[in-house]
Every structure is written in C-alpha cells, then in structure tokens.
C-alpha cells in the first residue's frame, strides 16, 4: 500500500509542478487553489509513505516521478524541446530510481 501511496504522491507532484505554469505567478485564483491543494496532498502522502518505506528511496522516487512527468507534460502541453539529451537524462533518472528500488 505504501508504494501505491508514494506513486499517487508523485502524480500529485506532477500536478502541482504543471499547475505552477497555469497560476501565472499565483495571480489566477482557481489554478492557484488547485496547485496549492495538490502540493499539500502530495507532501502529505509522501509523509504517509515514508512511515514504512526508506526515506531516501521514497524521496528519490517521488521526485523522479515528478521530474519525469513534468518533463513529458512540458513537451506535450508547452511545446518544450524533445531532444536526445533530454531523453537520455530521463533514462538516467529511471535507472537511478530502479537502482534505489532494487537496493531497498
């Protein structure tokens, strides 16, 4: 169950990271409320997950999910560049997450 909670926390991290773009510097009410809500839920779920998961592993996976998801959605939603270097870096993040999971 802790792994499911951690994955959900990571997905919510993607939500708040993407939401930051839509808040327009926290000047738009609805995106700001949704973004801050996602932040609170994401961190709260991370806190629940680390009750039974190693902190370093859980944090790395949480940030990894957030980073990869944010990069992918940045490419899709905001026409950010899709380059071999960026894909390679995503691959390195995935390899690091897998290594931490296997070592846990």
């Amino acid at each position: 169950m802790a792994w499911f909670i951690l994955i959900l926390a990571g997905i919510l991290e993607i939500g708040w990271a993407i939401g930051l773009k839509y808040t327009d510097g926290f000047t738009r009410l609805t995106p700001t409320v949704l973004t801050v809500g996602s932040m609170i839920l994401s961190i709260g779920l991370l806190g629940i997950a680390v009750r039974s998961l190693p902190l370093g592993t859980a944090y790395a996976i949480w940030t990894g999910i957030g980073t990869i998801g944010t990069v992918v959605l940045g490419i899709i939603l905001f026409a950010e560049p899709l380059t071999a270097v960026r894909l390679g870096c995503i691959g390195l993040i995935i390899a690091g997450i897998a290594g931490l999971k296997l070592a846990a």
Side-chain angles (χ1 to χ4, degrees), residues 10-85:
I11 291 168
L12 286 166
E13 185 186 5
I14 298 167
W16 72 255
I18 294 297
L20 286 173
K21 186 81 165 173
Y22 291 104
T23 67
D24 196 26
F26 297 105
T27 61
R28 298 178 62 215
L29 181 61
T30 300
T32 296
V33 169
L34 293 172
T35 298
V36 171
S38 185
M39 287 176 177
I40 292 167
L41 285 172
S42 179
I43 293 170
L45 290 173
L46 175 62
I48 292 168
V50 299
R51 288 181 185 164
S52 58
L53 297 174
L55 175 62
T57 302
Y59 184 76
I61 291 171
W62 179 68
T63 58
I65 291 169
T67 301
I68 292 167
T70 302
V71 169
V72 169
L73 284 178
I75 291 166
I76 294 168
L77 298 174
F78 308 121
E80 294 178 358
L82 174 60
T83 64
V85 173

